[in-house]
C-alpha cells in the first residue's frame, strides 16, 4: 500500500494478511420470544425475516468487494437488532447464541449477546 503525506514521498507499507473467523451453525429463532415479549406481535409472522438473518450469517463470504458488502449488510442488521431489543439482546438473558471458530487457534467458542457477534464481523471486515 502506498501512503503519501502532505507532499512527501510515497512510502510502501506492508499489509498483513490474517485468516478470517469462521461461523458455525446458529439460528435467530431465539428472537421469537423477544418479539412477542417486547412488542406483543405474533412471532410466527417474522419467519421470513428470521430465515433471512440466518442466511446472511451462514453465507460464505469471500475476501472481495461483494463479500465485504455482505458483511456490512449483516453488521447493519445486527446493529438494528440491538436497537430494537437493547437490554435483552446485548446480554442478560438473551436467547441467542453465536458460535465462531477462532482465526488463530481453531477453537470454537460460544457467546450469548450480540456484541461479540458484531466484533467477529468487524474482525472479518478488517
Amino acid at each position: 500500500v502506498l501512503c503519501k503525506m502532505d507532499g512527501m514521498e510515497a512510502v510502501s507499507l506492508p499489509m498483513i494478511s490474517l485468516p478470517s473467523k469462521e461461523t458455525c451453525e446458529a439460528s435467530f429463532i431465539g428472537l421469537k420470544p423477544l418479539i412477542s415479549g417486547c412488542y406483543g406481535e405474533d412471532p410466527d409472522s417474522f419467519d421470513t425475516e428470521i430465515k433471512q438473518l440466518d442466511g446472511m450469517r451462514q453465507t460464505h463470504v469471500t475476501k472481495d468487494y461483494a463479500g465485504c458488502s455482505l458483511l456490512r449488510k449483516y453488521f447493519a442488521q445486527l446493529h438494528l437488532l440491538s436497537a430494537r431489543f437493547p437490554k435483552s439482546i446485548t446480554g442478560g438473558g438473551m436467547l441467542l447464541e453465536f458460535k465462531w471458530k477462532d482465526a488463530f487457534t481453531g477453537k470454537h467458542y460460544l457467546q450469548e449477546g450480540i456484541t461479540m457477534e458484531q466484533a467477529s464481523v468487524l474482525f472479518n471486515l478488517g
Side-chain angles (χ1 to χ4, degrees):
V1 174
L2 292 177
C3 295
K4 207 175 216 185
M5 296 176 60
D6 298 327
M8 295 179 73
E9 188 175 315
V11 178
S12 179
L13 298 175
M15 296 295 289
I16 299 173
S17 176
L18 298 175
S20 297
K21 292 185 177 195
E22 296 177 20
T23 62
C24 302
E25 193 68 32
S27 177
F28 284 91
I29 200 77
L31 284 175
K32 285 188 171 192
L34 295 174
I35 291 169
S36 64
C38 293
Y39 294 103
E41 299 272 337
D42 177 24
D44 293 331
S45 64
F46 293 92
D47 282 342
T48 303
E49 290 81 4
I50 290 172
K51 286 178 185 174
Q52 286 175 342
L53 279 171
D54 287 339
M56 289 177 86
R57 187 174 195 280
Q58 298 304 325
T59 301
H60 176 70
V61 176
T62 55
K63 292 183 178 185
D64 58 4
Y65 181 79
C68 287
S69 179
L70 284 172
L71 281 176
R72 285 192 305 267
K73 287 178 184 177
Y74 178 57
F75 184 83
Q77 292 302 313
L78 294 174
H79 180 72
L80 289 173
L81 282 175
S82 65
R84 302 270 192 294
F85 307 103
K87 291 184 181 176
S88 9
I89 207 161
T90 54
M94 186 175 140
L95 303 173
L96 298 176
E97 294 180 338
F98 299 101
K99 191 173 184 181
W100 285 84
K101 183 178 176 184
D102 188 73
F104 303 107
T105 64
K107 293 181 181 178
H108 290 88
Y109 60 91
L110 185 67
Q111 291 287 327
E112 288 184 359
I114 205 163
T115 307
M116 191 62 173
E117 178 76 353
Q118 289 173 315
S120 296
V121 171
L122 287 177
F123 177 89
N124 283 348
L125 272 172

